[in-house]
Amino acid sequence: MSYAAVRPDSWNFPLFLHVLGATTLVGLLAVAVAVLIAAARAGDDRTAAVRLAFRTLLIGAIPAYLVMRIGAEWIADKEHLTDSDASWIGIGYSVADGGLLILIILNVLAGLAYRRARRGGQPVALLRWTTGLTLLLILAYGVALWAMATKPA
């Protein structure tokens, strides 16, 4: 016989913020990948697409990351998991901390690509690097999702 885990109502909002931030972040990263691929395949006039990808990462992904991270810290504090040795928490923190570094690098690369495109240059190499790193970050967040859902030992 199994019993459903019941959590206090005070945990709902921090958990909601964490999940909302994480899903929004991954969704914005997916949008950025689609726009970056379209920009790389575009002809001479790719400035608008590169600008959209850059703004998606800068204006959308960074605030979504902050909401995800603040929600994570808040729910970990509510559940008294801040000093836990659970592997799924370690995976989550590792992916989130590494993800911030990659997100900063993505913003720099996308900004450089936008600057080069605006000046009439060809930022194809920068777009490829940005696309590859964004796909890597989405994959890493998939691993974190797996760890949060399955809670491996």
Side-chain angles (χ1 to χ4, degrees):
M1 182 178 220
S2 67
Y3 295 98
V6 179
R7 66 179 175 270
D9 287 339
S10 65
W11 295 4
N12 289 341
F13 187 66
L15 184 60
F16 173 74
L17 276 183
H18 174 62
V19 172
L20 176 69
T23 55
T24 303
L25 176 59
V26 172
L28 287 167
L29 290 174
V31 167
V33 165
V35 173
L36 286 166
I37 290 172
R41 292 183 179 177
D44 292 332
D45 189 27
R46 65 184 78 197
T47 306
V50 176
R51 183 179 72 198
L52 178 61
F54 174 55
R55 288 186 176 180
T56 299
L57 291 170
L58 183 65
I59 299 171
I62 290 178
Y65 174 87
L66 291 174
V67 170
M68 182 261 312
R69 188 57 187 216
I70 289 168
E73 289 297 324
W74 193 5
I75 191 68
D77 183 58
K78 288 267 189 192
E79 294 185 31
H80 306 292
L81 295 172
T82 52
D83 296 328
S84 177
D85 290 336
S87 62
W88 61 276
I89 293 176
I91 292 170
Y93 279 130
S94 298
V95 170
D97 292 345
L100 178 61
L101 178 63
I102 293 174
L103 190 58
I104 291 168
I105 292 169
L106 288 175
N107 276 284
V108 169
L109 290 175
L112 291 173
Y114 173 56
R115 182 175 161 188
R116 186 174 292 173
R118 195 179 65 219
R119 293 182 177 178
Q122 297 298 323
V124 176
L126 286 168
L127 294 175
R128 287 184 183 148
W129 274 100
T130 307
T131 304
L133 284 174
T134 306
L135 288 170
L136 178 70
L137 190 55
I138 291 171
L139 180 65
Y141 285 136
V143 169
L145 174 65
W146 169 82
M148 298 290 156
T150 62
K151 297 186 179 19

